[in-house]
Amino acid sequence: MTRVLVSLVLIAAAGSIGGRAQAPAERGSSRILIDAVAFDRSGAPVVDLQQAEVEVWIGHFRVPIESFTAVTPGSDRAADRLMVLVMDDVTVPLAIVSRGKDAARRLVNRMLPGDRMAIVTLDGSAMESTDDKSRLLRTIDQIAPRTAGMIPVDRLGEHVLKNITALSRQMTEASDQRKTIVAIGSGWLFDRPIPPPAVGTDVRKDWIAAMQAMALANVNLYIIDPAGLGNTRADTGDNGFARETGGFAFIGTNDINGAVDRILRESANYYLLGVGDPPVGRGADLRELDVRVLRRGVTARARKTIVGGS
């Protein structure tokens, strides 16, 4: 199943994602571009931060910020958004499929002019990115639940990681706007794709590859679990796979509309931080990244790792 979906994803994402294209960052590059969102205690976006209020730490060393840009819908650097929906048609119970589709429809209906979106499913279908809302809505309507058969949970995790890697590599062709993958489905699968060590095969290499691809492409992962409060097998999204990428997992909540609106709000209000690539940790697969805000009551969220170097 994994091989089929990867090939379809490559076709789907290679089409018209581009636009204001730029060369993707290379491993070991002398400059790193980081996108971060900032919000206050109520979760509202904070868009007036100054460069002096933000710190970037790589591998426990503070690095100077060389460029600092606040991106909002009205700013000069505002760019058309790119979003890929990954719909779980394998593990989501039939009773809550409609809730997941409602979340996907809301994402489509709230697209802004110039936004593009593609839709793929775990079972293997995919479509090219498009700005045609009616086509996207028809695709969502046609998604039907499948069956995972006897595929072990660790193979499902491997399946998710490999295909997010493939998607992210294709999304490097897009410009430096905030690029988002939204996975709608089981939180235990999307946000916890690595099973316990005693269960099945080790997929940590696939996790590292996914993290590297998403960092190089500047892609964030968000997850919406439509199961709702008290019906999920996963905890909240404060420390899972999505949070590692700078996104968030909405798990154990009945406010699906609120989750969608927050994803769209964060994809339109963020900061682009350019820093030099320090020599520390370049031999590692991944290096720790920490973006800190000095203003009281304001929190920043960015990916937690960047790639190493050569």
Side-chain angles (χ1 to χ4, degrees):
M1 183 169 71
T2 300
R3 183 179 303 169
V4 173
L5 182 54
V6 168
S7 62
L8 287 171
V9 165
L10 291 172
I11 294 170
S16 47
I17 278 180
R20 295 177 295 277
Q22 65 174 19
E26 295 293 335
R27 188 167 178 165
S29 172
S30 61
R31 189 168 182 270
I32 299 170
L33 190 65
I34 303 162
D35 61 318
V37 296
F39 45 90
D40 60 21
R41 290 189 178 97
S42 67
V46 175
V47 297
D48 63 344
L49 289 176
Q50 302 301 309
Q51 181 171 330
E53 297 179 284
V54 180
E55 295 180 349
V56 175
W57 294 71
I58 296 177
H60 305 294
F61 289 87
R62 182 181 175 185
V63 295
I65 299 174
E66 299 177 355
S67 63
F68 182 90
T69 305
V71 179
T72 65
S75 67
D76 292 338
R77 288 295 304 271
D80 305 331
R81 295 177 295 186
L82 173 62
M83 185 172 294
V84 177
L85 303 189
V86 180
M87 302 293 293
D88 182 358
D89 59 343
V90 174
T91 69
V92 171
L94 181 61
I96 60 173
V97 166
S98 61
R99 285 173 55 86
K101 288 188 175 184
D102 287 344
R105 293 188 188 100
R106 189 175 181 88
L107 284 164
V108 171
N109 286 325
R110 299 207 166 202
M111 290 172 62
L112 299 176
D115 290 350
R116 301 188 68 84
M117 186 179 294
I119 300 174
V120 302
T121 66
L122 280 185
D123 196 55
S125 65
M127 65 176 294
E128 294 179 354
S129 64
T130 180
D131 59 359
D132 186 340
K133 292 184 180 181
S134 60
R135 183 182 171 197
L136 290 163
L137 291 172
R138 286 196 301 271
T139 299
I140 292 168
D141 290 340
Q142 293 167 0
I143 294 174
R146 310 289 183 178
T147 176
M150 298 302 293
I151 300 175
V153 64
D154 60 315
R155 294 299 301 276
L156 283 172
E158 178 187 36
H159 179 68
V160 167
L161 292 168
K162 285 187 174 180
N163 288 290
I164 285 179
T165 300
L167 276 171
S168 299
R169 287 173 177 168
Q170 292 300 319
M171 294 169 80
T172 60
E173 299 298 326
S175 56
D176 58 1
Q177 78 267 38
R178 189 168 170 89
K179 291 164 280 190
T180 307
I181 296 175
V182 181
I184 301 178
S186 297
W188 60 265
L189 173 59
F190 285 126
D191 206 38
R192 301 292 187 272
I194 301 179
V199 179
T201 59
D202 187 353
V203 297
R204 285 176 295 181
K205 289 183 178 179
D206 298 302
W207 184 85
I208 291 172
M211 291 296 299
Q212 290 175 331
M214 297 184 82
L216 288 171
N218 220 25
V219 173
N220 307 97
L221 172 67
Y222 287 83
I223 296 166
I224 299 176
D225 188 334
L229 186 63
N231 295 311
T232 181
R233 292 164 50 186
D235 54 9
T236 60
D238 292 327
N239 56 5
F241 184 34
R243 179 61 187 87
E244 291 287 329
T245 75
F248 193 80
F250 298 92
I251 298 172
T253 177
N254 292 325
D255 187 11
I256 300 300
N257 288 345
V260 169
D261 294 347
R262 182 172 166 186
I263 292 170
L264 293 173
R265 185 167 62 245
E266 292 188 359
S267 68
N269 298 275
Y270 59 97
Y271 295 86
L272 282 173
L273 313 176
V275 301
D277 188 356
V280 59
R282 283 191 180 177
D285 291 324
L286 296 168
R287 290 179 284 175
E288 293 183 12
L289 172 68
D290 187 15
V291 177
R292 305 174 186 177
V293 176
L294 305 182
R295 185 187 298 183
R296 181 175 297 179
V298 178
T299 302
R301 182 169 7 94
R303 67 182 65 259
K304 290 187 176 182
T305 56
I306 58 173
V307 296
S310 55

